Amino acid sequence: MKSKFENFFQGIKDSSPLMIPVVPFGIIFGVLAIDLGLSPVTTIAMSIIIFGGASQIIFLQLFSGGASSLVIFSSVGAVNSRHLLYGTVLSEHLSNLSLTWKIIVSYFLVDQAFAVSNDYFKKNKNDNNKHFHLIAGGFNCWIIWQITTVIGIYLGSVIPEKLGLTFAIPLTFLALLVNEFRKTINVIVMIVSGLVATLGFNHIPYKAYVIVAALLGLLVAYILTEMTKKK
């Protein structure tokens, strides 16, 4: 069994390659927040409290568009609903933790941390300190997100628009999928989920296309997994 520090530093190491696209992503958020009239303190507080890149961007877009509080909170909740899936997947590995540790882990359960820790947990099932790997991945992202948010707040105005930093938003999520292309089942699930989300963008009410796409993706994954087991 590895020590807490060994798991922690391994989590930092494993998650670091996924932090590259987070840098411009965080800068974009800082720039947008200030452009929309938020104060630096409010912007930093949002990054600390919400700590979710995609949901923070959506919050700003809806807020600037004059959307109601109900629409804003429901939309942010829908985007963050993927974390319910993350929690379900990781529950079998972390069910023995105390409530305090579960709360800490849930705060640091970001996309990048889940991507690397899910595989790590499978390889280290009997390690009682393995949750420090996920905390480290989330903490790594947290530090970079706060720093880049501040950079966007104070230096965003001097960054040339020609750099096209907005590419970082989809790039961040694409980087998480690279390792998953190795399995046929994963590719099929991605295609199904992607098609449902794309086709349902303007047709599924309450902008719940993310939830519907995720649930259908899970259903397809379950069916394909069961078919594979029978073979």
Side-chain angles (χ1 to χ4, degrees):
M1 184 173 69
K2 297 180 180 179
S3 68
K4 298 175 182 179
F5 293 104
E6 288 177 320
N7 278 294
F8 188 87
F9 287 116
Q10 187 63 46
I12 294 289
K13 179 181 178 182
D14 292 343
S15 62
S16 290
L18 297 178
M19 296 300 114
I20 297 175
V22 175
V23 174
F25 197 172
I27 294 174
I28 291 170
F29 169 72
V31 173
L32 288 177
I34 298 302
D35 286 345
L36 293 176
L38 271 65
S39 68
V41 173
T42 301
T43 303
I44 295 172
M46 188 186 298
S47 282
I48 294 175
I49 297 172
I50 299 178
F51 183 37
S55 56
Q56 289 180 226
I57 294 291
I58 289 176
F59 181 96
L60 289 178
Q61 291 175 334
L62 293 175
F63 179 79
S64 63
S68 66
S69 299
L70 179 61
V71 171
I72 292 175
F73 285 116
S74 60
S75 299
V76 171
V79 172
N80 280 341
S81 63
R82 69 188 186 280
H83 290 86
L84 295 175
L85 303 177
Y86 294 167
T88 301
V89 172
L90 297 179
S91 61
E92 63 173 303
H93 302 291
L94 305 175
S95 58
N96 61 327
L97 294 180
S98 65
L99 178 60
T100 300
W101 276 116
K102 287 180 180 179
I103 293 174
I104 295 173
V105 168
S106 65
Y107 178 73
F108 289 109
L109 182 56
V110 294
D111 302 294
Q112 292 82 358
F114 173 80
V116 296
S117 292
N118 187 34
D119 290 334
Y120 187 80
F121 288 170
K122 293 176 181 177
K123 298 175 183 177
N124 298 273
K125 292 183 178 180
N126 298 321
D127 192 336
N128 294 328
N129 295 320
K130 60 181 177 293
H131 57 285
F132 282 92
H133 184 276
L134 188 148
I135 293 174
F139 180 74
N140 193 13
C141 186
W142 188 90
I143 290 294
I144 293 175
W145 185 255
Q146 307 310 323
I147 293 174
T148 52
T149 294
V150 173
I151 292 175
I153 290 172
Y154 294 104
L155 299 180
S157 60
V158 302
I159 298 176
E161 293 185 5
K162 293 182 180 179
L163 288 179
L165 292 180
T166 51
F167 82 98
I169 298 177
L171 181 61
T172 299
F173 295 97
L174 286 174
L176 303 177
L177 299 177
V178 173
N179 289 330
E180 304 303 326
F181 283 108
R182 299 174 182 176
K183 297 181 180 179
T184 305
I185 291 179
N186 293 349
V187 174
I188 294 174
V189 171
M190 290 178 201
I191 293 174
V192 171
S193 298
L195 286 175
V196 172
T198 302
L199 297 175
F201 181 78
N202 292 318
H203 299 91
I204 297 178
Y206 305 111
K207 299 297 181 180
Y209 60 93
V210 175
I211 300 175
V212 174
L215 291 176
L216 285 177
L218 285 174
L219 178 61
V220 171
Y222 174 77
I223 294 173
L224 292 177
T225 301
E226 289 300 313
M227 292 174 60
T228 302
K229 288 181 179 178
K230 291 180 180 179
K231 291 182 180 180

